[in-house]
Short mmCIF file of all heavy atoms in Angstrom, two decimals:
data_model
loop_
_atom_site.label_atom_id
_atom_site.label_comp_id
_atom_site.label_asym_id
_atom_site.label_seq_id
_atom_site.Cartn_x
_atom_site.Cartn_y
_atom_site.Cartn_z
N GLY Q 14 7.39 56.50 23.19
CA GLY Q 14 8.00 57.76 23.64
C GLY Q 14 9.48 57.67 23.94
O GLY Q 14 10.15 58.64 24.21
N LYS Q 48 -8.46 53.62 19.22
CA LYS Q 48 -9.03 53.23 20.49
C LYS Q 48 -8.05 52.33 21.28
O LYS Q 48 -8.40 51.19 21.60
CB LYS Q 48 -10.35 52.51 20.32
CG LYS Q 48 -11.45 53.47 19.88
CD LYS Q 48 -12.76 52.90 20.17
CE LYS Q 48 -13.78 53.03 19.09
NZ LYS Q 48 -15.07 52.36 19.37
N ASN Q 70 -10.03 42.21 1.43
CA ASN Q 70 -9.18 41.96 0.21
C ASN Q 70 -8.26 43.13 -0.03
O ASN Q 70 -8.68 44.31 0.18
CB ASN Q 70 -10.12 41.76 -0.99
CG ASN Q 70 -11.02 40.59 -0.82
OD1 ASN Q 70 -10.63 39.49 -0.39
ND2 ASN Q 70 -12.34 40.84 -1.03
N ARG Q 108 6.15 52.57 12.59
CA ARG Q 108 6.09 51.21 12.99
C ARG Q 108 5.90 50.26 11.81
O ARG Q 108 6.21 49.11 11.88
CB ARG Q 108 4.98 50.99 14.09
CG ARG Q 108 5.47 51.52 15.40
CD ARG Q 108 4.36 51.82 16.35
NE ARG Q 108 4.81 52.73 17.40
CZ ARG Q 108 5.42 52.35 18.54
NH1 ARG Q 108 5.45 51.07 18.84
NH2 ARG Q 108 5.81 53.24 19.41
N ASP Q 154 14.27 48.88 -5.80
CA ASP Q 154 15.36 48.35 -4.98
C ASP Q 154 16.58 49.35 -4.91
O ASP Q 154 17.55 49.07 -4.19
CB ASP Q 154 15.95 47.03 -5.55
CG ASP Q 154 14.86 45.95 -5.52
OD1 ASP Q 154 14.01 45.96 -4.57
OD2 ASP Q 154 14.85 45.16 -6.51
N GLU Q 156 18.77 52.53 -3.81
CA GLU Q 156 18.90 53.21 -2.60
C GLU Q 156 18.70 54.78 -2.80
O GLU Q 156 19.13 55.35 -3.76
CB GLU Q 156 20.25 52.97 -2.05
CG GLU Q 156 20.44 53.70 -0.67
CD GLU Q 156 21.47 53.07 0.22
OE1 GLU Q 156 21.18 51.88 0.59
OE2 GLU Q 156 22.51 53.63 0.53
N ILE Q 157 17.96 55.37 -1.76
CA ILE Q 157 17.86 56.82 -1.78
C ILE Q 157 18.57 57.22 -0.56
O ILE Q 157 18.51 56.57 0.54
CB ILE Q 157 16.36 57.20 -1.59
CG1 ILE Q 157 15.50 56.68 -2.80
CG2 ILE Q 157 16.17 58.64 -1.44
CD1 ILE Q 157 14.04 56.66 -2.59
N THR Q 172 21.27 64.16 -7.65
CA THR Q 172 21.20 64.70 -6.37
C THR Q 172 20.35 66.01 -6.41
O THR Q 172 20.74 66.90 -7.24
CB THR Q 172 22.63 65.07 -5.82
OG1 THR Q 172 23.35 63.86 -5.62
CG2 THR Q 172 22.56 65.75 -4.52
N VAL Q 177 15.07 71.24 4.55
CA VAL Q 177 14.69 70.85 5.89
C VAL Q 177 14.61 72.07 6.77
O VAL Q 177 15.54 72.82 6.79
CB VAL Q 177 15.77 69.88 6.47
CG1 VAL Q 177 15.32 69.30 7.80
CG2 VAL Q 177 16.10 68.75 5.45
N GLU Q 179 14.87 74.85 9.46
CA GLU Q 179 16.16 75.13 10.25
C GLU Q 179 16.11 74.43 11.58
O GLU Q 179 17.02 73.73 12.02
CB GLU Q 179 16.30 76.57 10.49
CG GLU Q 179 17.71 76.92 10.81
CD GLU Q 179 17.84 78.41 11.27
OE1 GLU Q 179 17.03 79.26 10.80
OE2 GLU Q 179 18.63 78.71 12.15
N LYS Q 183 18.57 71.39 12.74
CA LYS Q 183 19.40 71.52 13.94
C LYS Q 183 19.17 70.38 14.95
O LYS Q 183 20.01 69.77 15.49
CB LYS Q 183 19.12 72.84 14.58
CG LYS Q 183 20.32 73.72 14.55
CD LYS Q 183 20.11 75.08 15.26
CE LYS Q 183 21.23 75.37 16.12
NZ LYS Q 183 21.27 76.68 16.70
N THR Q 192 12.79 67.00 23.41
CA THR Q 192 12.45 68.34 23.97
C THR Q 192 12.09 68.22 25.44
O THR Q 192 12.12 69.23 26.14
CB THR Q 192 11.41 68.98 23.15
OG1 THR Q 192 10.41 68.02 22.79
CG2 THR Q 192 11.94 69.66 21.90
N ALA Q 194 13.56 66.55 27.89
CA ALA Q 194 14.82 66.69 28.66
C ALA Q 194 15.40 68.14 28.49
O ALA Q 194 15.77 68.78 29.56
CB ALA Q 194 15.91 65.70 28.13
N ARG Q 208 5.03 82.82 36.94
CA ARG Q 208 4.70 83.83 37.95
C ARG Q 208 4.50 85.18 37.36
O ARG Q 208 3.82 86.00 37.89
CB ARG Q 208 5.72 83.76 39.03
CG ARG Q 208 5.67 82.56 39.91
CD ARG Q 208 6.55 82.74 41.14
NE ARG Q 208 6.81 81.48 41.79
CZ ARG Q 208 7.89 80.72 41.71
NH1 ARG Q 208 8.91 81.21 41.05
NH2 ARG Q 208 7.95 79.56 42.21
N ALA Q 220 6.06 75.07 44.08
CA ALA Q 220 7.12 75.75 44.91
C ALA Q 220 8.51 75.29 44.37
O ALA Q 220 8.66 74.14 43.88
CB ALA Q 220 7.01 75.48 46.32
#
Side-chain angles (χ1 to χ4, degrees):
Chain Q
K48 285 202 222 174
N70 299 309
R108 284 158 200 273
D154 298 325
E156 180 153 297
I157 300 168
T172 293
V177 184
E179 197 192 330
K183 244 182 135 169
T192 40
R208 286 191 195 103

